[in-house]
Amino acid sequence: MLVQNTAKILIVESATHPLNDLAGLLKSKGYAIEHAHDSEAAFKALIEHHEQYNVVILDHRFPENENHKLLTKMHANSDLKTLPFIMIVPNTEHETLKHAIQRGAHYCLADDFSHDHTLMVVQAAIRRNLSYRELLNTIPHTVYPMMKYLVYGDFEVKTLNDEQDLARGFYNVCPHPNLAV
């Protein structure tokens, strides 16, 4: 799966603390980068062009209320709630990571990121996004239209017949199980 040269990343950063090093690294590897300096501009770009973005990167120095506002809007929007979100955090202490994940981060990168680690995390997020999009395109929407909205689900089975019914359902909905995310 081609990750670079087709992937577009939105970096949401504080105007006083631009993520120039990160943007430069990603550009040098062939990623298309766009910047937003407030939550309204970021949300507007995502709404108007959600299909173009593969990942959103948000800096911890972005004001807390702006972070919360953007993440709340993203998670409430069916087109944006599955878009991978990477939070740049000040350190990798347990409480810092816990706070970022509770706020909605799918991935975290420390401020003092290494280039290799950063690229691995960004590539993983992009692969997740591309796999999810490919999976959505394979779902037989005419038979199971509600499945395109499924992001997370729990199943409780009590018998072998229940398990077999569930497996048959998955087989019909997901003809390419290797694309499941």
Side-chain angles (χ1 to χ4, degrees), residues 9-14 17 19 22 34 36-39 42-43 46 55-72 74-75 84-90 100 103-111:
I9 301 169
L10 178 64
I11 297 178
V12 186
E13 60 195 351
S14 165
H17 296 97
L19 297 172
L22 176 62
E34 286 196 10
H37 297 291
D38 63 59
S39 64
F43 190 70
L46 290 167
V55 174
V56 176
I57 298 176
L58 182 59
D59 189 8
H60 71 91
R61 290 173 291 215
F62 203 63
E64 178 72 28
N65 62 334
E66 291 289 310
N67 277 341
H68 182 71
K69 195 184 320 181
L70 177 60
L71 293 173
T72 300
M74 283 178 66
H75 289 294
F85 165 66
I86 300 171
M87 173 71 80
I88 305 295
V89 294
R103 290 171 33 202
H106 296 106
Y107 303 88
C108 296
L109 279 172
D111 257 341

Side-chain angles (χ1 to χ4, degrees), residues 34-179:
E34 286 196 10
H35 300 267
H37 297 291
D38 63 59
S39 64
E40 292 301 319
F43 190 70
K44 183 178 181 205
L46 290 167
I47 287 295
E48 291 176 0
H49 307 288
H50 67 273
E51 67 285 342
Q52 293 179 11
Y53 293 103
N54 299 98
V55 174
V56 176
I57 298 176
L58 182 59
D59 189 8
H60 71 91
R61 290 173 291 215
F62 203 63
E64 178 72 28
N65 62 334
E66 291 289 310
N67 277 341
H68 182 71
K69 195 184 320 181
L70 177 60
L71 293 173
T72 300
K73 287 180 177 182
M74 283 178 66
H75 289 294
N77 184 289
S78 63
D79 291 326
L80 302 178
K81 67 183 176 183
T82 60
L83 188 61
F85 165 66
I86 300 171
M87 173 71 80
I88 305 295
V89 294
N91 57 59
T92 56
E93 292 176 9
H94 176 76
E95 285 303 312
T96 303
L97 297 176
K98 180 180 169 185
H99 183 67
I101 290 168
Q102 286 174 338
R103 290 171 33 202
H106 296 106
Y107 303 88
C108 296
L109 279 172
D111 257 341
D112 59 350
F113 54 85
S114 76
H115 289 188
D116 289 341
H117 182 75
T118 299
L119 293 173
M120 285 177 13
V121 170
V122 169
Q123 288 169 352
I126 292 170
R127 278 192 305 275
R128 175 184 183 268
N129 178 258
L130 294 175
S131 292
Y132 184 78
R133 288 180 183 187
E134 191 172 344
L135 179 62
L136 280 181
N137 290 332
T138 64
I139 293 175
H141 295 293
T142 56
V143 179
Y144 297 99
M146 72 284 195
M147 292 305 289
K148 71 179 183 178
Y149 302 108
L150 180 64
V151 175
Y152 175 80
D154 288 324
F155 301 94
E156 184 176 316
V157 293
K158 296 184 181 187
T159 68
L160 180 58
N161 285 338
D162 291 348
E163 287 183 30
Q164 290 169 337
D165 287 343
L166 184 60
R168 273 190 294 279
F170 279 127
Y171 176 79
N172 290 328
V173 172
C174 187
H176 304 289
N178 59 321
L179 299 177

Side-chain angles (χ1 to χ4, degrees), residues 16-29:
T16 58
H17 296 97
L19 297 172
N20 295 330
D21 291 343
L22 176 62
L25 170 66
L26 296 173
K27 282 181 186 178
S28 76
K29 297 300 180 182

